[in-house]
Amino acid sequence: MASAPAVTAAPRSVSPTWLRFKDALRRHPTAIAGAVVLLAMIALAVAAPWLGTVDPQAVSPVKRLKPPFGEYWFGTDMLGRDVYSRVVYGARVSLTVGLAVALASTLAGLAIGLVTGFIRWADALVMRVMDGLMSIPPVLLAIALMALTKASLENVVFAITLSEIPRVVRLVRSLVLSLREQPFVEAAMAAGTSIARTLVRHILPNTVAPLLVQGTYICASAMITESILSFLGAGTPPNIPSWGNIMAEARSLFQIAAYLILFPGVCLSLTVLAVNLLGDGLRDALDPRLARRM
Amino acid sequence: MLGSEALVTTLLQVHELRKYFPVKKDFFGRGTAKVHAVDGVSFSIAAGETLGLVGESGCGKSTAGKTILRLIDPTSGTIEWCGRRIEALGRAAMHPVRRELQVVFQDPYSSLNPRLRARDIVAEPLRNYESLSEAQMREHVAFLFEKVGLRADQMVRYPHEFSGGQRQRLGIARALAVRPKLIICDEPVSALDVSVQAQVINLLVDLQAEFGVSYLFVAHDLAVVEHISHRVAVMYLGKIVELTDKRSLFRNPQHPYTEALLSAVPVPDPKAKRKRIILQGDVPSPVTPPPGCRFHTRCPYAEARCRAEEPAMKEVRPGHSVACHLR
């Protein structure tokens, strides 16, 4: 009969996802470090106007190429603009692109992946299109898309999202293909549950954990792609400071003012590292083969 | 127990059911080899009856169960449910039938969605077939919990907070929720400890007495089948080789394979001297089943005829059918 000790063991029932999440963070200090750095960067981007910054676009030719750690923390560039202000405001672009691309490509990929995983004929069709998209290097695809449209932040997000979608679709499709063979999905079918409801109730919640991990990697790679695009002059328009185009503008002055590349470069590396550490921690924690103690 | 009643209604009638799985595909995607998982199986189940379906791993007993549930489409043959053929029904037409035909799965871990609370798992079939208010739903689920020996305060828990036996009770409660006429039990106790097995089997027997539900009880353990079944069908390599009531099967087995199976059942008496029939060799591949009688490669009594001619099921006594040339 029902065993008594089990009752006292867990007086309140919490969702297994949340339990594993908490457990994960406790056991992965690097993930916490990543989360802290990422949150700090987000705070920096949000609070940019109140962090002792000046107008990042204000030009002052008399004060050009001042070295860092003097009057200007990060020095000034060849037009006399304050690099510190430009880097802090640049965080807005990188984080916006990273998070927006991660969110958009995950949602779009999820929707397409769920359909392809469950409907045979759609699968063959959509996956060939996705294979086609995947055969083009993501940066090249984004450059091609940017060449077709005018430079703006929205177009950058769109171009990078489009090149990231196939990877999410592949992941979701493989998850759905394995989940639909799970006995609890068979049980739902036997219980008379419709396909739509089975997808929402049984398949979707079980794709969240791996998608979260994939989302962090996409966020990191989108920030790098944005910088590459800006560096090549095919990304964020020059009137918006982004880490990529600060580095792009400074590359000709690299030998006399290396700090111009150093500061945005360090910020980009740090943010990407933070996001990746967070993603690794989540993956270790949410992967049942690596860490399931229940 | 059964058959003495004047009117026995047949719930399920399966005739010459076949399910082949393609295993190899040629360049054009056409199947060139097939696993003969279920190869011409016929039986029937009456209301309130338990039919045990036994055989070793890979003989097709689970596939037969899933095909009847239409979780897998049959290759050929007919499935008649309450006089109506259901083997070719579409999803929508099958919907009302599923209400009467439920299932309990083998693995109590993977057959429950880890992200749903116990009450939502049990209430799932109810939501699909009844429009109840939340309060009524809760009341009904609490009733089901009590019926399967769980407490109502466990309703809010997640599957990982239950033991294996408790999880299988949840599976049974889910199957029972819409008051089905037949529950297909696909090895419901083979993943459980022996002591827990007995509890679950007794629960199934009690529920049958209370609700009059029929079972198709798939198992590989003869002791378990002996306890719960009224009739037993023995399967070997996709075919039923013997089908009879429990008593004659255990006292007077007719097929050499059944004999060998029964001799392998452990007896809890260390001094008991029994003749063990040790079968030679392995089960042939279901991709290329042997010609003639499928058991001839391992049968101690096999003759020339067994290798050439496939034996048909024939009644040796009323209600006792065997597929063997020698009987």
Side-chain angles (χ1 to χ4, degrees), chain B residues 142-209:
Chain B
F143 167 77
L144 288 164
F145 265 60
E146 189 214 309
K147 281 294 158 211
V148 298
L150 294 169
R151 293 190 324 274
D153 64 277
Q154 294 170 319
M155 278 164 50
V156 292
R157 295 211 190 154
Y158 285 93
H160 71 261
E161 296 171 276
F162 290 91
S163 68
Q166 289 176 322
R167 280 161 163 253
Q168 202 55 294
R169 288 169 192 269
L170 281 178
I172 294 168
R174 168 172 64 188
L176 210 60
V178 282
R179 294 285 174 86
K181 290 180 180 165
L182 173 69
I183 299 179
I184 294 184
C185 302
D186 186 6
E187 305 208 36
V189 296
S190 57
L192 305 175
D193 291 344
V194 176
S195 58
V196 182
Q197 282 192 2
Q199 296 171 4
V200 171
I201 296 285
N202 288 334
L203 171 66
L204 286 170
V205 173
D206 292 346
L207 292 173
Q208 181 165 55

Side-chain angles (χ1 to χ4, degrees), chain B residues 7-312:
Chain B
L7 188 76
V8 179
T9 45
T10 304
L11 279 183
L12 180 75
Q13 177 88 49
V14 174
H15 184 67
E16 287 295 304
L17 189 68
R18 285 187 168 78
K19 178 64 197 179
Y20 300 157
F21 293 104
V23 281
K24 260 196 287 184
K25 281 187 178 164
D26 64 10
F27 183 73
F28 300 102
R30 288 180 301 223
T32 51
K34 296 185 192 80
V35 172
H36 299 64
V38 179
D39 205 0
V41 160
S42 308
F43 59 83
S44 65
I45 298 177
E49 181 193 35
T50 300
L51 175 68
L53 188 58
V54 287
E56 57 201 292
S57 306
C59 72
K61 51 196 194 300
S62 287
T63 305
K66 285 185 180 173
T67 310
I68 293 163
L69 285 162
R70 293 291 316 281
L71 295 173
I72 303 174
D73 286 329
T75 305
S76 71
T78 61
I79 307 164
E80 225 173 83
W81 175 253
C82 300
R84 183 164 164 243
R85 285 174 61 168
I86 60 163
E87 73 274 3
L89 291 186
R91 219 188 148 81
M94 195 59 201
H95 190 73
V97 179
R98 292 199 191 282
R99 178 178 187 147
E100 303 174 330
L101 188 60
Q102 284 290 314
V103 59
V104 174
F105 287 92
Q106 173 175 14
D107 183 354
Y109 291 87
S110 60
S111 62
L112 306 176
N113 186 344
R115 273 153 220 278
L116 287 184
R117 289 180 191 274
R119 61 156 185 251
D120 294 318
I121 290 172
V122 173
E124 177 154 10
L126 279 174
R127 286 186 213 278
N128 293 329
Y129 290 102
E130 311 255 0
S131 47
L132 298 175
S133 71
E134 275 307 307
Q136 287 173 309
M137 190 76 81
R138 200 166 309 127
E139 194 183 320
H140 197 106
V141 172
F143 167 77
L144 288 164
F145 265 60
E146 189 214 309
K147 281 294 158 211
V148 298
L150 294 169
R151 293 190 324 274
D153 64 277
Q154 294 170 319
M155 278 164 50
V156 292
R157 295 211 190 154
Y158 285 93
H160 71 261
E161 296 171 276
F162 290 91
S163 68
Q166 289 176 322
R167 280 161 163 253
Q168 202 55 294
R169 288 169 192 269
L170 281 178
I172 294 168
R174 168 172 64 188
L176 210 60
V178 282
R179 294 285 174 86
K181 290 180 180 165
L182 173 69
I183 299 179
I184 294 184
C185 302
D186 186 6
E187 305 208 36
V189 296
S190 57
L192 305 175
D193 291 344
V194 176
S195 58
V196 182
Q197 282 192 2
Q199 296 171 4
V200 171
I201 296 285
N202 288 334
L203 171 66
L204 286 170
V205 173
D206 292 346
L207 292 173
Q208 181 165 55
E210 183 167 352
F211 297 108
V213 61
S214 302
Y215 296 125
L216 172 62
F217 196 91
V218 177
H220 59 249
D221 184 341
L222 280 168
V224 166
V225 167
E226 182 177 16
H227 189 76
I228 195 171
S229 306
H230 300 122
R231 288 189 304 141
V232 181
V234 180
M235 253 181 110
Y236 182 79
L237 216 59
K239 280 190 173 297
I240 289 180
V241 294
E242 185 157 6
L243 173 60
T244 182
D245 61 285
K246 172 171 72 179
R247 191 174 294 251
S248 359
L249 186 93
F250 284 88
R251 292 213 181 140
N252 185 18
Q254 292 294 306
H255 198 279
Y257 179 62
T258 317
E259 261 179 26
L261 273 186
L262 287 175
S263 84
V265 174
V267 177
D269 176 7
K271 294 193 193 97
K273 286 270 183 289
R274 290 186 306 153
K275 199 184 90 188
R276 282 288 293 271
I277 305 170
I278 311 288
L279 291 179
Q280 298 301 312
D282 285 325
V283 186
S285 162
V287 179
T288 48
C293 173
R294 298 204 163 178
F295 189 56
H296 83 249
T297 55
R298 304 171 79 194
C299 181
Y301 318 112
E303 297 172 351
R305 191 181 167 202
C306 302
R307 287 180 257 281
E309 202 182 313
E310 195 169 334

Side-chain angles (χ1 to χ4, degrees), chain A residues 207-283:
Chain A
T207 61
V208 169
L211 265 184
L212 205 62
V213 176
Q214 180 76 6
T216 60
Y217 292 136
I218 287 177
C219 177
S221 92
M223 288 193 286
I224 290 182
T225 309
E226 186 278 329
S227 289
I228 294 171
L229 288 179
S230 297
F231 192 82
L232 295 173
T236 319
N239 61 336
I240 305 171
S242 85
W243 293 338
N245 56 30
I246 301 171
M247 287 191 273
E249 286 166 12
R251 70 182 187 276
S252 52
L253 294 163
F254 176 64
Q255 283 174 316
I256 54 167
Y259 61 88
L260 286 180
I261 285 185
L262 178 72
F263 293 114
V266 165
C267 283
L268 179 65
S269 312
L270 209 60
T271 313
V272 170
L273 181 69
V275 173
N276 276 327
L277 284 179
L278 183 65
D280 282 345
L282 286 176
R283 188 204 53 211

Side-chain angles (χ1 to χ4, degrees), chain A residues 28 84 119 172 238 242 260:
Chain A
H28 296 275
Y84 167 69
I119 303 171
V172 175
S242 85
L260 286 180

